[in-house]
Amino acid sequence: MIVRSGKGGDGAATFRREALVAFGGPDGGDGGRGGDVVLRASTHVNSLIGLYYDPKLFAESGVPGSGGRCYGRRGKDLVVDVPCGTLVTDLETGLVVADITAPGQKVIVAKGGAGGFGNVHFKSSVNQAPTEHTKGGEAEEKRLHLELKTIADAGLLGFPNAGKSSLLTRLSSATPKIASYPFTTLNPMVGTIEYADFAQVRMADVPGIIEGASRGVGLGLAFLKHLERAHVLVYVLDMAGTDNRKPWDDYNVLTKEIADYNADLAERPCLVLANKMDTAAGRKNLKRFVKETGVRPIAISCEPTLKDLREYADLKDYEGLVGLEAFKEELRKIVNPKPRNQLHLEEAPPPIEEMPDTTGEEIPSEAMKFATFLKFDAPKKKSHPSRGNIH
């Protein structure tokens, strides 16, 4: 992708000529500064397909100054929305220009040229008719590479047909394709788990991982990068052993592939899910899985008709957690998301029991700390209009 900022407008070298004015003097105005090329993170954009078909981003140039101390208009900034998780690198140097992760984050990737000075700035007692003026700053042009790495709090890992898409469908409003053949998911799918207090956890389902994925086998290598931003990894295992698979071997292969791909990724918190526990084979393999790996997974089933998995699957003596609700609570403990009405707060509000009495005629100032739905942002300072084109 090619980005180019706007060129700064040239300063003017003019003199005042007006009737009945004996001594006019210089009155050349400054040129306007060129527009910037800005990338803005947006939650309303989920791909870079628009930039693929329109890879040239050129901002508007500044307007030259004119007589009468008229300042040239500043070139308009070109603001382009990109999805959260976009990594921007310079093609020539290979350096990372920006890592756009937070919604609303703005990054200037090409700075507009400064506006030139008119001859009015060069007048003095010894130079009363200056003709000096400066040219506008040159435009900045770069060749950039944009790569999208999906932002999700939790990443689902598992072999094909482990039930990742079914799990995402049960816990969120996402509608991934579900079928009984391998590699049903060909692109990362993201769903949002919402809790009772409107706190949200984003969970990403990547295509099935197979042995050798860290070396490019199958589809894993192309999509393992989407797990690099996840706070917690969720290993989804087919405990029923479909296609004569052994869940304990699958778990060992998955952890090895993650460690080979990125050692730091393997050190992150993780949860292990024993899926398809509504089957007799799943209940049989669960005991051996715990014995072989020493890991006690969360027993779940994505079957929507089951009400109490612990009773249905005869897991009353199982010491581990059981059910999708237990998984959601464990996931929340690790991610620790803020409720939606507290996203703008730097820290959680104090307990409601500590709120002072507000029944009087005046509300105490301390009580405003508990009004988390209010935003007390300081007003932005306005610069002098004549300084907007000079820097």
Side-chain angles (χ1 to χ4, degrees):
M1 184 180 72
I2 301 175
V3 297
R4 183 193 301 161
S5 64
K7 179 185 179 299
D10 299 336
T14 61
F15 293 88
R16 185 179 182 186
R17 293 291 183 266
E18 188 175 345
L20 305 179
V21 178
F23 301 98
D27 67 347
D30 299 336
R33 66 176 297 261
D36 302 332
V37 178
V38 183
L39 299 182
R40 178 177 58 191
S42 173
T43 56
H44 303 290
V45 182
N46 57 12
S47 71
L48 299 171
I49 190 67
L51 296 178
Y52 178 81
Y53 291 106
D54 188 14
K56 296 182 179 180
L57 304 179
F58 298 159
E60 184 183 23
S61 296
V63 177
S66 59
R69 297 190 180 184
C70 292
Y71 291 90
R73 180 175 59 82
R74 172 179 174 173
K76 294 182 180 179
D77 294 340
L78 179 61
V79 181
V80 180
D81 288 335
V82 296
C84 296
T86 301
L87 183 67
V88 185
T89 56
D90 193 315
L91 277 177
E92 296 181 359
T93 63
L95 299 177
V96 175
V97 177
D99 191 6
I100 305 174
T101 57
Q105 178 184 353
K106 293 182 179 180
V107 176
I108 299 176
V109 293
K111 186 74 173 176
F117 290 105
N119 64 339
V120 69
H121 290 282
F122 298 94
K123 64 181 180 179
S124 65
S125 60
V126 295
N127 187 13
Q128 298 182 6
T131 58
E132 296 91 341
H133 64 284
T134 59
K135 298 286 186 180
E138 293 297 327
E140 185 178 8
E141 182 173 331
K142 294 180 181 178
R143 295 177 61 85
L144 302 177
H145 174 70
L146 272 61
E147 182 181 11
L148 177 60
K149 294 184 178 181
T150 303
I151 289 184
D153 300 306
L156 298 179
L157 284 169
F159 275 79
N161 282 344
K164 303 186 299 299
S165 298
S166 300
L167 177 63
L168 191 66
T169 302
R170 282 295 311 276
L171 298 180
S172 71
S173 298
T175 56
K177 184 178 180 180
I178 300 175
S180 59
Y181 55 84
F183 296 111
T184 309
T185 302
L186 297 177
N187 297 291
M189 298 293 295
V190 180
T192 302
I193 303 174
E194 190 162 295
Y195 294 86
D197 59 352
F198 302 107
Q200 294 181 342
V201 173
R202 288 169 58 86
M203 189 163 61
D205 172 23
V206 300
I209 307 299
I210 62 176
E211 189 171 1
S214 59
R215 303 189 303 273
V217 178
L219 300 176
L221 184 61
F223 300 106
L224 278 173
K225 63 183 180 182
H226 293 282
L227 298 173
E228 293 180 2
R229 302 183 188 274
H231 300 300
V232 55
L233 301 181
V234 181
Y235 294 94
V236 183
L237 302 172
D238 179 6
M239 201 55 61
T242 307
D243 298 330
N244 296 322
R245 303 199 63 87
K246 298 179 180 179
W248 44 92
D249 290 340
D250 289 351
Y251 175 72
N252 293 330
V253 170
L254 289 173
T255 54
K256 182 179 182 301
E257 291 299 326
I258 292 299
D260 291 343
Y261 175 76
N262 189 335
D264 295 334
L265 195 61
E267 298 297 327
R268 296 185 188 178
C270 67
L271 293 173
V272 183
L273 302 184
N275 196 15
K276 303 182 182 181
M277 287 302 300
D278 54 307
T279 63
R283 297 190 287 272
K284 178 181 178 182
N285 290 332
L286 179 61
K287 296 180 180 179
R288 184 172 178 184
F289 179 86
V290 176
K291 182 179 179 181
E292 293 282 346
T293 63
V295 177
R296 201 174 299 277
I298 303 175
I300 66 168
S301 172
C302 297
E303 181 62 39
T305 59
L306 287 181
K307 300 299 181 182
D308 189 350
L309 179 62
R310 187 179 288 274
E311 182 177 352
Y312 177 85
D314 194 20
L315 297 173
K316 298 178 181 179
D317 297 333
Y318 181 59
E319 298 179 1
L321 300 175
V322 177
L324 293 176
E325 290 300 323
F327 165 62
K328 289 174 61 177
E329 291 304 318
E330 288 298 308
L331 190 61
R332 177 166 188 168
K333 291 178 183 178
I334 299 175
V335 178
N336 193 23
K338 288 184 178 181
R340 192 177 301 175
N341 63 341
Q342 298 179 14
L343 292 178
H344 62 284
L345 302 179
E346 294 183 358
E347 56 184 17
I352 194 67
E353 295 80 10
E354 299 180 6
M355 185 173 71
D357 183 25
T358 58
T359 58
E361 295 183 358
E362 281 192 19
I363 298 179
S365 59
E366 291 297 323
M368 302 308 293
K369 296 180 180 179
F370 298 84
T372 57
F373 56 89
L374 298 178
K375 296 182 180 181
F376 300 101
D377 295 334
K380 296 182 179 179
K381 296 181 180 180
K382 295 184 178 180
S383 61
H384 194 276
S386 64
R387 298 172 185 169
N389 297 326
I390 304 174
H391 47 224

